[in-house]
Coordinates of all heavy atoms in Angstrom, one line a residue:
P1 N 7.6 15.6 -0.1 CA 7.5 17.0 0.4 C 7.1 17.0 1.9 O 6.5 16.0 2.4 CB 6.4 17.5 -0.5 CG 5.6 16.3 -1.0 CD 6.6 15.2 -1.0
T2 N 7.4 18.1 2.5 CA 6.9 18.3 3.9 C 5.4 18.5 3.9 O 4.9 19.2 3.1 CB 7.6 19.5 4.5 OG1 9.0 19.2 4.5 CG2 7.2 19.7 6.0
C3 N 4.7 17.8 4.9 CA 3.3 17.9 5.0 C 2.9 18.0 6.4 O 3.3 17.2 7.2 CB 2.7 16.6 4.4 SG 1.2 16.8 3.4
D4 N 2.3 19.1 6.8 CA 1.9 19.4 8.2 C 3.2 19.3 9.1 O 3.2 18.8 10.2 CB 0.9 18.4 8.8 CG -0.5 18.8 8.5 OD1 -0.8 19.8 7.7 OD2 -1.5 18.2 9.0
G5 N 4.3 19.8 8.6 CA 5.5 19.8 9.3 C 6.3 18.5 9.3 O 7.3 18.3 10.0
N6 N 5.7 17.5 8.7 CA 6.3 16.1 8.6 C 7.1 15.9 7.3 O 6.5 16.1 6.2 CB 5.3 15.0 8.7 CG 4.5 15.1 10.0 OD1 5.1 14.8 11.1 ND2 3.3 15.5 10.0
D7 N 8.4 15.6 7.4 CA 9.2 15.3 6.3 C 8.7 14.0 5.7 O 8.3 13.1 6.4 CB 10.7 15.2 6.6 CG 11.3 16.5 7.0 OD1 10.7 17.6 6.6 OD2 12.3 16.5 7.8
G8 N 8.8 13.9 4.4 CA 8.4 12.6 3.7 C 9.3 11.5 4.0 O 10.5 11.7 4.3
S9 N 8.7 10.3 4.0 CA 9.5 9.1 4.3 C 8.8 7.9 3.6 O 7.6 7.8 3.5 CB 9.5 8.8 5.8 OG 10.0 7.5 6.1
L10 N 9.6 7.0 3.1 CA 9.1 5.8 2.4 C 8.3 4.9 3.4 O 7.5 4.1 3.0 CB 10.2 5.0 1.8 CG 10.7 5.5 0.5 CD1 11.9 4.7 0.0 CD2 9.7 5.6 -0.6
T11 N 8.5 5.1 4.7 CA 7.8 4.3 5.7 C 6.3 4.7 5.7 O 5.5 3.9 6.3 CB 8.4 4.5 7.1 OG1 8.3 5.9 7.5 CG2 9.8 4.1 7.2
E12 N 5.9 5.8 5.1 CA 4.5 6.2 5.0 C 3.8 5.5 3.8 O 2.6 5.4 3.7 CB 4.3 7.7 4.8 CG 4.8 8.5 5.9 CD 4.9 9.9 5.6 OE1 4.7 10.3 4.5 OE2 5.2 10.7 6.6
F13 N 4.6 4.9 2.9 CA 4.0 4.2 1.7 C 3.5 2.8 2.2 O 4.2 2.0 2.8 CB 5.1 4.0 0.7 CG 4.6 3.3 -0.6 CD1 4.0 4.1 -1.5 CD2 4.8 2.0 -0.8 CE1 3.5 3.6 -2.7 CE2 4.3 1.4 -2.0 CZ 3.6 2.2 -2.9
V14 N 2.2 2.6 1.9 CA 1.5 1.4 2.3 C 1.1 0.5 1.1 O 0.1 0.8 0.4 CB 0.3 1.7 3.2 CG1 -0.5 0.5 3.6 CG2 0.6 2.6 4.3
P15 N 1.8 -0.6 0.9 CA 1.4 -1.5 -0.1 C 0.1 -2.3 0.3 O 0.0 -2.6 1.5 CB 2.6 -2.4 -0.3 CG 3.3 -2.4 1.0 CD 3.0 -1.0 1.6
L16 N -0.7 -2.6 -0.7 CA -2.0 -3.3 -0.4 C -2.1 -4.6 -1.2 O -1.7 -4.6 -2.4 CB -3.2 -2.4 -0.6 CG -3.3 -1.1 0.2 CD1 -4.5 -0.3 -0.3 CD2 -3.4 -1.4 1.6
A17 N -2.7 -5.6 -0.7 CA -3.1 -6.8 -1.4 C -4.6 -7.1 -1.2 O -5.0 -7.3 0.0 CB -2.2 -8.0 -0.9
T18 N -5.3 -7.2 -2.2 CA -6.8 -7.4 -2.2 C -7.1 -8.8 -2.7 O -6.8 -9.1 -3.8 CB -7.6 -6.4 -3.0 OG1 -7.2 -5.1 -2.5 CG2 -9.1 -6.6 -2.9
A19 N -7.6 -9.6 -1.8 CA -7.9 -11.0 -2.2 C -9.0 -11.1 -3.3 O -9.9 -10.3 -3.3 CB -8.4 -11.8 -1.0
Q20 N -8.8 -12.0 -4.3 CA -9.7 -12.1 -5.4 C -10.9 -13.0 -5.0 O -12.0 -12.8 -5.5 CB -9.0 -12.7 -6.6 CG -8.1 -11.7 -7.2 CD -7.5 -12.2 -8.6 OE1 -7.7 -13.4 -9.0 NE2 -6.7 -11.3 -9.2
T21 N -10.7 -14.0 -4.1 CA -11.8 -14.8 -3.7 C -12.2 -14.8 -2.2 O -13.4 -15.0 -1.9 CB -11.6 -16.3 -4.1 OG1 -10.4 -16.8 -3.4 CG2 -11.4 -16.4 -5.6
L22 N -11.3 -14.5 -1.3 CA -11.5 -14.5 0.1 C -12.3 -13.2 0.4 O -11.9 -12.1 0.0 CB -10.2 -14.5 0.9 CG -9.4 -15.8 0.7 CD1 -8.1 -15.6 1.4 CD2 -10.2 -17.0 1.3
K23 N -13.4 -13.4 1.2 CA -14.2 -12.2 1.5 C -14.6 -12.2 3.0 O -14.6 -13.2 3.7 CB -15.5 -12.3 0.7 CG -15.2 -12.2 -0.8 CD -16.5 -12.2 -1.6 CE -16.1 -12.2 -3.1 NZ -16.4 -10.9 -3.8
D24 N -15.0 -11.0 3.4 CA -15.6 -10.8 4.7 C -17.0 -10.3 4.4 O -17.2 -9.2 4.1 CB -14.8 -9.7 5.5 CG -15.5 -9.4 6.9 OD1 -16.4 -10.2 7.3 OD2 -15.1 -8.4 7.5
G25 N -17.9 -11.3 4.4 CA -19.3 -11.0 3.9 C -19.2 -10.8 2.4 O -18.8 -11.8 1.7
E26 N -19.5 -9.7 1.9 CA -19.5 -9.5 0.5 C -18.2 -8.7 0.1 O -18.0 -8.5 -1.1 CB -20.7 -8.7 0.0 CG -22.0 -9.6 0.2 CD -23.2 -9.1 -0.6 OE1 -23.0 -8.3 -1.6 OE2 -24.3 -9.4 -0.2
N27 N -17.4 -8.3 1.0 CA -16.2 -7.4 0.7 C -15.0 -8.3 0.7 O -14.7 -9.1 1.6 CB -16.1 -6.4 1.8 CG -17.3 -5.5 1.9 OD1 -17.8 -5.0 0.9 ND2 -17.7 -5.2 3.1
P28 N -14.2 -8.1 -0.4 CA -12.9 -8.8 -0.4 C -12.0 -8.4 0.7 O -12.0 -7.3 1.2 CB -12.3 -8.4 -1.8 CG -13.0 -7.2 -2.2 CD -14.3 -7.2 -1.5
L29 N -11.2 -9.4 1.2 CA -10.2 -9.1 2.3 C -9.1 -8.3 1.7 O -8.6 -8.6 0.6 CB -9.7 -10.4 2.8 CG -10.7 -11.3 3.6 CD1 -10.0 -12.5 4.1 CD2 -11.3 -10.5 4.7
V30 N -8.7 -7.2 2.4 CA -7.6 -6.3 2.0 C -6.6 -6.4 3.1 O -6.9 -6.1 4.3 CB -8.1 -4.9 1.8 CG1 -6.9 -4.0 1.4 CG2 -9.2 -4.8 0.7
F31 N -5.3 -6.6 2.7 CA -4.2 -6.7 3.7 C -3.3 -5.5 3.4 O -3.0 -5.3 2.2 CB -3.5 -8.0 3.5 CG -4.3 -9.2 3.9 CD1 -5.1 -9.8 3.0 CD2 -4.2 -9.7 5.2 CE1 -5.9 -10.9 3.3 CE2 -5.0 -10.8 5.5 CZ -5.8 -11.4 4.6
S32 N -2.8 -4.9 4.4 CA -1.8 -3.8 4.2 C -0.5 -4.2 4.7 O -0.3 -5.1 5.6 CB -2.3 -2.5 4.9 OG -2.4 -2.8 6.3
G33 N 0.5 -3.6 4.1 CA 1.9 -4.0 4.4 C 2.7 -2.8 5.0 O 2.1 -1.8 5.4
H34 N 4.0 -3.0 5.2 CA 4.9 -2.0 5.8 C 6.1 -1.8 4.9 O 6.5 -2.8 4.2 CB 5.3 -2.5 7.2 CG 4.2 -2.8 8.1 ND1 3.5 -1.9 8.8 CD2 3.6 -4.0 8.4 CE1 2.6 -2.5 9.5 NE2 2.6 -3.8 9.3
T35 N 6.5 -0.6 4.8 CA 7.7 -0.3 4.0 C 8.8 0.3 4.9 O 8.5 1.1 5.8 CB 7.3 0.7 2.9 OG1 6.2 0.2 2.2 CG2 8.5 1.0 2.0
D36 N 10.0 -0.1 4.8 CA 11.1 0.5 5.6 C 11.7 1.7 4.8 O 11.3 2.0 3.7 CB 12.2 -0.6 5.9 CG 13.0 -1.1 4.7 OD1 13.0 -0.5 3.7 OD2 13.5 -2.2 4.9
E37 N 12.7 2.3 5.5 CA 13.2 3.6 5.0 C 14.0 3.3 3.7 O 14.2 4.3 2.9 CB 14.1 4.2 6.0 CG 13.3 4.8 7.2 CD 14.1 5.5 8.2 OE1 15.3 5.8 7.9 OE2 13.6 5.8 9.3
A38 N 14.4 2.1 3.4 CA 15.1 1.8 2.2 C 14.2 1.4 1.0 O 14.6 1.2 -0.1 CB 16.1 0.6 2.4
G39 N 12.9 1.4 1.3 CA 11.9 1.0 0.3 C 11.5 -0.4 0.2 O 10.8 -0.8 -0.7
N40 N 12.1 -1.3 1.1 CA 11.7 -2.7 1.1 C 10.4 -2.8 1.8 O 10.1 -2.2 2.8 CB 12.8 -3.5 1.9 CG 14.1 -3.3 1.3 OD1 14.3 -3.6 0.1 ND2 15.1 -2.9 2.1
F41 N 9.5 -3.7 1.2 CA 8.2 -3.8 1.8 C 7.8 -5.3 2.1 O 8.4 -6.2 1.5 CB 7.1 -3.2 0.9 CG 6.9 -3.9 -0.3 CD1 5.9 -4.9 -0.4 CD2 7.7 -3.7 -1.5 CE1 5.7 -5.6 -1.6 CE2 7.5 -4.4 -2.6 CZ 6.5 -5.3 -2.7
T42 N 6.9 -5.5 3.0 CA 6.3 -6.8 3.3 C 4.8 -6.7 3.5 O 4.4 -5.6 4.0 CB 6.9 -7.5 4.5 OG1 6.7 -6.6 5.6 CG2 8.4 -7.7 4.3
I43 N 4.1 -7.7 3.1 CA 2.7 -7.8 3.4 C 2.5 -9.2 4.1 O 2.6 -10.2 3.4 CB 1.8 -7.7 2.2 CG1 2.0 -6.4 1.4 CG2 0.3 -7.7 2.6 CD1 1.3 -6.2 0.1
D44 N 2.3 -9.2 5.4 CA 2.3 -10.4 6.1 C 0.9 -11.0 6.3 O -0.1 -10.2 6.2 CB 2.9 -10.3 7.5 CG 4.4 -9.9 7.4 OD1 5.1 -10.4 6.6 OD2 4.8 -9.0 8.2
G45 N 0.8 -12.3 6.5 CA -0.5 -12.9 6.9 C -1.4 -13.2 5.8 O -2.6 -13.4 6.0
L46 N -0.9 -13.3 4.5 CA -1.8 -13.6 3.4 C -2.1 -15.1 3.4 O -1.2 -15.9 3.5 CB -1.1 -13.2 2.1 CG -0.7 -11.7 1.9 CD1 0.0 -11.5 0.6 CD2 -2.0 -10.9 2.0
A47 N -3.4 -15.4 3.2 CA -3.8 -16.8 3.1 C -3.7 -17.2 1.6 O -3.5 -16.4 0.7 CB -5.3 -16.9 3.5
V48 N -3.9 -18.5 1.3 CA -3.8 -19.0 0.0 C -4.9 -18.3 -0.9 O -6.1 -18.4 -0.5 CB -4.0 -20.5 0.0 CG1 -4.1 -21.0 -1.5 CG2 -2.8 -21.2 0.7
D49 N -4.5 -17.6 -1.9 CA -5.4 -16.9 -2.8 C -4.6 -16.2 -3.9 O -3.3 -16.2 -3.8 CB -6.3 -15.9 -2.1 CG -7.6 -15.5 -2.9 OD1 -7.7 -15.9 -4.0 OD2 -8.5 -14.9 -2.3
T50 N -5.2 -15.6 -4.8 CA -4.6 -14.6 -5.7 C -5.0 -13.2 -5.3 O -6.1 -13.0 -5.0 CB -4.9 -14.9 -7.2 OG1 -4.5 -16.2 -7.5 CG2 -4.3 -13.9 -8.1
Y51 N -4.0 -12.3 -5.3 CA -4.2 -11.0 -4.8 C -4.0 -9.9 -5.9 O -3.0 -10.0 -6.6 CB -3.3 -10.7 -3.6 CG -3.6 -11.6 -2.4 CD1 -3.2 -12.8 -2.3 CD2 -4.5 -11.1 -1.4 CE1 -3.5 -13.6 -1.2 CE2 -4.8 -11.8 -0.3 CZ -4.3 -13.1 -0.2 OH -4.7 -13.9 0.9
D52 N -4.9 -8.9 -5.9 CA -4.6 -7.7 -6.7 C -3.7 -6.8 -5.9 O -4.1 -6.5 -4.7 CB -5.9 -7.0 -7.1 CG -6.8 -7.9 -8.0 OD1 -6.3 -8.6 -8.9 OD2 -8.0 -8.0 -7.7
L53 N -2.7 -6.3 -6.5 CA -1.7 -5.5 -5.7 C -2.0 -4.0 -6.0 O -2.3 -3.6 -7.1 CB -0.3 -5.9 -6.1 CG 0.1 -7.3 -5.8 CD1 1.5 -7.6 -6.3 CD2 -0.1 -7.7 -4.3
G54 N -1.8 -3.2 -5.0 CA -2.0 -1.8 -5.1 C -1.3 -1.1 -4.0 O -0.5 -1.7 -3.3
F55 N -1.7 0.1 -3.7 CA -1.2 0.9 -2.6 C -2.1 1.9 -2.1 O -3.1 2.3 -2.8 CB 0.2 1.5 -2.9 CG 0.2 2.5 -4.1 CD1 -0.1 3.8 -3.9 CD2 0.3 2.0 -5.4 CE1 -0.1 4.7 -5.0 CE2 0.3 2.9 -6.5 CZ 0.1 4.2 -6.2
Q56 N -1.9 2.4 -0.9 CA -2.8 3.4 -0.3 C -2.3 4.7 -0.9 O -1.2 5.1 -0.7 CB -2.6 3.4 1.2 CG -3.5 4.4 2.0 CD -3.3 4.3 3.5 OE1 -3.4 3.2 4.0 NE2 -3.0 5.4 4.1
A57 N -3.2 5.4 -1.6 CA -2.8 6.6 -2.4 C -2.7 7.8 -1.5 O -2.0 8.8 -1.9 CB -3.9 6.9 -3.5
E58 N -3.3 7.8 -0.3 CA -3.2 9.0 0.6 C -2.8 8.6 2.0 O -3.2 7.6 2.5 CB -4.6 9.7 0.6 CG -5.0 10.2 -0.7 CD -6.4 10.9 -0.7 OE1 -7.1 10.8 0.4 OE2 -6.8 11.5 -1.7
Y59 N -1.9 9.5 2.5 CA -1.5 9.3 3.9 C -1.9 10.6 4.6 O -1.5 11.7 4.3 CB 0.0 9.2 4.0 CG 0.6 8.8 5.3 CD1 0.7 7.5 5.7 CD2 0.9 9.8 6.3 CE1 1.2 7.2 7.0 CE2 1.4 9.5 7.5 CZ 1.5 8.2 7.9 OH 2.0 7.8 9.1
L60 N -2.9 10.5 5.6 CA -3.5 11.6 6.2 C -2.8 12.2 7.4 O -2.3 11.4 8.2 CB -4.9 11.3 6.6 CG -5.8 10.8 5.5 CD1 -7.2 10.4 6.0 CD2 -6.0 11.8 4.4
F61 N -2.7 13.5 7.4 CA -2.2 14.2 8.6 C -3.3 15.0 9.2 O -4.5 14.7 8.8 CB -1.0 15.1 8.2 CG 0.2 14.4 7.7 CD1 0.5 14.3 6.4 CD2 1.1 13.8 8.6 CE1 1.6 13.6 5.9 CE2 2.2 13.2 8.2 CZ 2.5 13.0 6.8
T62 N -3.1 16.0 10.0 CA -4.2 16.8 10.6 C -4.9 17.7 9.6 O -6.1 17.6 9.4 CB -3.6 17.7 11.7 OG1 -3.0 16.8 12.7 CG2 -4.7 18.4 12.4
D63 N -4.1 18.5 8.8 CA -4.7 19.4 7.9 C -4.5 19.1 6.4 O -5.1 19.7 5.5 CB -4.2 20.9 8.2 CG -4.6 21.4 9.6 OD1 -5.8 21.1 10.0 OD2 -3.8 21.9 10.3
N64 N -3.5 18.3 6.2 CA -3.1 18.0 4.8 C -2.9 16.5 4.6 O -3.0 15.7 5.6 CB -1.7 18.6 4.6 CG -1.8 20.1 4.6 OD1 -2.3 20.7 3.7 ND2 -1.2 20.7 5.6
K65 N -2.7 16.1 3.4 CA -2.5 14.7 3.1 C -1.4 14.6 2.1 O -1.2 15.4 1.2 CB -3.8 14.0 2.5 CG -4.3 14.7 1.2 CD -5.6 14.1 0.8 CE -6.2 14.9 -0.4 NZ -7.5 14.4 -0.8
R66 N -0.6 13.5 2.2 CA 0.5 13.2 1.3 C -0.2 12.3 0.3 O -0.8 11.3 0.6 CB 1.7 12.6 1.9 CG 2.9 12.6 1.0 CD 4.2 12.1 1.7 NE 4.4 12.3 3.1 CZ 4.9 13.5 3.6 NH1 5.2 14.5 2.9 NH2 5.1 13.6 4.9
V67 N -0.1 12.6 -1.0 CA -0.7 11.8 -2.1 C 0.4 11.1 -2.9 O 1.3 11.8 -3.4 CB -1.5 12.8 -3.0 CG1 -2.2 12.0 -4.1 CG2 -2.6 13.5 -2.2
W68 N 0.3 9.8 -3.0 CA 1.2 9.0 -3.7 C 0.6 8.6 -5.1 O -0.5 8.2 -5.2 CB 1.5 7.7 -3.0 CG 2.0 7.9 -1.6 CD1 1.3 8.1 -0.4 CD2 3.4 7.9 -1.2 NE1 2.2 8.3 0.6 CE2 3.5 8.1 0.2 CE3 4.6 7.7 -1.9 CZ2 4.7 8.2 0.9 CZ3 5.8 7.7 -1.2 CH2 5.8 8.0 0.2
T69 N 1.5 8.7 -6.1 CA 1.1 8.3 -7.5 C 2.2 7.3 -7.9 O 3.3 7.5 -7.7 CB 1.0 9.5 -8.4 OG1 0.1 10.4 -7.9 CG2 0.5 9.0 -9.8
G70 N 1.7 6.2 -8.6 CA 2.7 5.2 -9.0 C 2.1 4.0 -9.6 O 0.9 4.0 -9.9
T71 N 2.9 3.0 -9.9 CA 2.4 1.8 -10.5 C 3.0 0.6 -9.7 O 4.0 0.8 -8.9 CB 2.9 1.7 -11.9 OG1 4.3 1.7 -12.0 CG2 2.3 2.8 -12.8
V72 N 2.5 -0.6 -9.9 CA 3.0 -1.8 -9.3 C 3.0 -2.8 -10.4 O 2.2 -2.9 -11.3 CB 2.2 -2.3 -8.1 CG1 0.7 -2.6 -8.5 CG2 2.8 -3.5 -7.5
G73 N 4.1 -3.6 -10.4 CA 4.2 -4.7 -11.4 C 4.9 -5.9 -10.8 O 5.8 -5.7 -10.1
P74 N 4.3 -7.1 -11.0 CA 3.1 -7.4 -11.6 C 1.9 -6.8 -10.8 O 2.1 -6.5 -9.6 CB 3.1 -8.9 -11.8 CG 3.9 -9.4 -10.6 CD 5.0 -8.3 -10.5
T75 N 0.7 -6.8 -11.4 CA -0.4 -6.3 -10.7 C -1.1 -7.4 -9.8 O -2.1 -7.0 -9.1 CB -1.4 -5.7 -11.6 OG1 -1.8 -6.7 -12.6 CG2 -0.8 -4.5 -12.4
T76 N -0.7 -8.6 -9.9 CA -1.3 -9.7 -9.1 C -0.2 -10.6 -8.6 O 0.9 -10.6 -9.2 CB -2.3 -10.6 -9.9 OG1 -1.6 -11.2 -11.0 CG2 -3.5 -9.8 -10.4
A77 N -0.5 -11.2 -7.5 CA 0.5 -12.2 -6.9 C -0.3 -13.4 -6.4 O -1.4 -13.1 -5.8 CB 1.3 -11.6 -5.8
S78 N 0.1 -14.6 -6.5 CA -0.5 -15.8 -6.0 C 0.2 -16.3 -4.8 O 1.4 -16.5 -4.8 CB -0.6 -16.8 -7.1 OG -1.5 -16.4 -8.1
I79 N -0.6 -16.7 -3.8 CA 0.0 -17.3 -2.6 C -0.6 -18.8 -2.7 O -1.8 -19.0 -2.6 CB -0.5 -16.7 -1.3 CG1 -0.1 -15.2 -1.3 CG2 0.0 -17.4 -0.1 CD1 1.4 -14.9 -1.3
D80 N 0.3 -19.7 -3.0 CA -0.1 -21.1 -3.2 C 0.0 -22.0 -1.9 O -0.6 -23.1 -1.9 CB 0.8 -21.7 -4.3 CG 0.6 -21.0 -5.6 OD1 -0.5 -20.5 -5.9 OD2 1.6 -20.9 -6.3
A81 N 0.7 -21.5 -0.9 CA 0.8 -22.2 0.4 C 1.1 -21.2 1.5 O 1.6 -20.1 1.2 CB 2.0 -23.2 0.3
P82 N 0.7 -21.6 2.7 CA 1.0 -20.7 3.8 C 2.5 -20.4 3.9 O 3.4 -21.2 3.5 CB 0.6 -21.5 5.1 CG -0.4 -22.4 4.5 CD 0.0 -22.8 3.1
N83 N 2.8 -19.2 4.4 CA 4.2 -18.7 4.6 C 5.0 -18.7 3.3 O 6.2 -18.9 3.3 CB 5.0 -19.6 5.6 CG 4.3 -19.6 7.0 OD1 3.9 -18.5 7.5 ND2 4.1 -20.8 7.6
T84 N 4.3 -18.4 2.2 CA 5.0 -18.2 0.9 C 5.6 -16.8 0.8 O 5.0 -15.8 1.2 CB 4.0 -18.4 -0.2 OG1 3.5 -19.8 -0.1 CG2 4.6 -18.2 -1.6
T85 N 6.8 -16.8 0.3 CA 7.4 -15.5 -0.1 C 7.3 -15.3 -1.6 O 7.7 -16.1 -2.3 CB 8.9 -15.5 0.4 OG1 9.0 -15.7 1.8 CG2 9.6 -14.2 0.0
V86 N 6.8 -14.1 -2.0 CA 6.7 -13.8 -3.4 C 7.8 -12.7 -3.6 O 7.9 -11.7 -2.9 CB 5.3 -13.2 -3.7 CG1 5.2 -12.7 -5.1 CG2 4.3 -14.3 -3.4
S87 N 8.6 -12.9 -4.7 CA 9.6 -11.9 -5.0 C 9.2 -11.4 -6.4 O 8.4 -11.9 -7.1 CB 11.0 -12.5 -5.0 OG 11.0 -13.6 -5.9
G88 N 9.9 -10.3 -6.8 CA 9.8 -9.7 -8.1 C 8.6 -8.7 -8.2 O 8.3 -8.3 -9.3
V89 N 8.1 -8.3 -7.1 CA 7.0 -7.2 -7.2 C 7.7 -5.9 -7.0 O 8.5 -5.7 -6.0 CB 6.0 -7.5 -6.1 CG1 5.0 -6.3 -6.1 CG2 5.2 -8.8 -6.3
T90 N 7.5 -5.0 -7.9 CA 8.1 -3.7 -7.8 C 7.1 -2.5 -7.8 O 6.2 -2.5 -8.7 CB 9.1 -3.5 -9.0 OG1 10.0 -4.5 -9.0 CG2 9.8 -2.2 -9.0
Y91 N 7.2 -1.6 -6.9 CA 6.4 -0.4 -6.9 C 7.3 0.7 -7.5 O 8.4 0.9 -7.1 CB 5.9 -0.1 -5.5 CG 4.9 -0.9 -5.0 CD1 5.1 -2.1 -4.3 CD2 3.5 -0.6 -5.2 CE1 4.1 -2.9 -3.8 CE2 2.5 -1.4 -4.7 CZ 2.8 -2.6 -4.0 OH 1.8 -3.4 -3.6
N92 N 6.7 1.5 -8.4 CA 7.4 2.6 -9.0 C 6.6 3.9 -8.6 O 5.5 4.1 -9.1 CB 7.5 2.4 -10.5 CG 8.2 3.6 -11.2 OD1 9.1 4.2 -10.6 ND2 7.9 3.9 -12.4
I93 N 7.2 4.6 -7.7 CA 6.5 5.9 -7.2 C 6.9 6.9 -8.2 O 8.1 7.3 -8.4 CB 7.0 6.2 -5.8 CG1 6.6 5.1 -4.8 CG2 6.4 7.6 -5.4 CD1 7.2 5.2 -3.5
T94 N 5.9 7.5 -8.9 CA 6.1 8.5 -9.9 C 5.9 10.0 -9.4 O 6.4 10.9 -10.0 CB 5.2 8.3 -11.1 OG1 3.9 8.3 -10.7 CG2 5.6 7.0 -11.8
D95 N 5.2 10.1 -8.3 CA 5.0 11.5 -7.8 C 4.5 11.4 -6.3 O 3.8 10.4 -6.0 CB 4.0 12.2 -8.6 CG 3.9 13.7 -8.2 OD1 4.9 14.4 -8.1 OD2 2.7 14.2 -7.9
V96 N 4.9 12.3 -5.5 CA 4.4 12.5 -4.2 C 4.2 13.9 -4.0 O 5.0 14.8 -4.2 CB 5.5 12.0 -3.1 CG1 4.9 12.1 -1.7 CG2 5.9 10.5 -3.4
S97 N 3.0 14.3 -3.5 CA 2.6 15.7 -3.3 C 1.9 15.8 -1.9 O 1.5 14.9 -1.3 CB 1.7 16.2 -4.4 OG 0.5 15.4 -4.4
C98 N 1.8 17.1 -1.5 CA 1.0 17.4 -0.3 C -0.1 18.3 -0.7 O 0.1 19.3 -1.4 CB 2.0 18.0 0.7 SG 1.2 18.4 2.3
S99 N -1.3 18.0 -0.2 CA -2.4 18.9 -0.5 C -3.3 19.0 0.7 O -3.3 18.1 1.6 CB -3.2 18.4 -1.7 OG -3.8 17.1 -1.4
Q100 N -4.1 20.0 0.8 CA -4.9 20.3 1.9 C -6.1 19.4 1.9 O -6.7 19.1 0.9 CB -5.4 21.8 1.9 CG -6.2 22.1 3.2 CD -6.5 23.6 3.2 OE1 -6.3 24.3 2.2 NE2 -6.9 24.1 4.3
I101 N -6.5 18.9 3.1 CA -7.7 18.1 3.2 C -8.9 19.0 3.2 O -9.0 20.0 3.9 CB -7.7 17.3 4.6 CG1 -6.5 16.3 4.6 CG2 -9.0 16.6 4.8 CD1 -6.3 15.6 6.0
T102 N -9.8 18.7 2.3 CA -11.0 19.5 2.2 C -12.1 18.9 2.9 O -12.4 17.7 2.8 CB -11.4 19.7 0.7 OG1 -11.5 18.5 0.1 CG2 -10.4 20.6 0.0
P103 N -12.8 19.6 3.7 CA -13.9 19.1 4.5 C -15.1 18.6 3.7 O -15.3 19.0 2.6 CB -14.3 20.2 5.5 CG -13.7 21.4 5.0 CD -12.6 21.0 4.0

C-alpha cells in the first residue's frame, strides 16, 4: 500500500540474521540484508555461527509506517565457513499495511 505518498516496494523488506553465539557485549550480533525488486535477498558479512532468521517488521516514513507480516523457513541457518552461500531460505509475506506512527 501507499504510505506517506510512497508506493510499496519489496526493496523495503529487510531480512535479518541474529547470531546465536556471537555478541557485542551482552547483545547478540544482528545483520540486516537487502532485497531487490524481484524479491531476491542477501545478507552479507556473516561470520561462522548459527543464525536465527527474521525480518524488520516496520519500515518507517515521516508520519506513517509500513508494517510487514510473514514467516521465514527455515528459521535458522548455519554458516560453517567464511563466504558461505546458504540457499533454500524462503520468506512468505502474508500482509503489508500502512499505519500512522503514534507518538
Side-chain angles (χ1 to χ4, degrees):
T2 300
C3 219
D4 274 7
N6 296 290
D7 292 335
S9 170
L10 284 175
T11 60
E12 296 169 353
F13 184 80
V14 180
L16 300 174
T18 303
Q20 289 186 355
T21 61
L22 297 172
K23 297 183 185 250
D24 179 12
E26 295 196 20
N27 300 314
L29 295 179
V30 179
F31 296 84
S32 60
H34 304 279
T35 306
D36 67 20
E37 291 183 12
N40 302 303
F41 70 92
T42 59
I43 304 173
D44 297 321
L46 298 179
V48 173
D49 200 351
T50 298
Y51 292 85
D52 295 318
L53 303 176
F55 58 92
Q56 183 176 311
E58 298 179 349
Y59 189 90
L60 302 178
F61 294 100
T62 303
D63 297 317
N64 295 288
K65 60 185 173 183
R66 196 173 327 276
V67 181
W68 300 85
T69 306
T71 59
V72 59
T75 58
T76 62
S78 293
I79 304 298
D80 299 324
N83 300 315
T84 298
T85 298
V86 174
S87 59
V89 175
T90 302
Y91 286 90
N92 182 29
I93 300 168
T94 56
D95 188 51
V96 182
S97 61
C98 182
S99 62
Q100 187 173 11
I101 297 173
T102 53

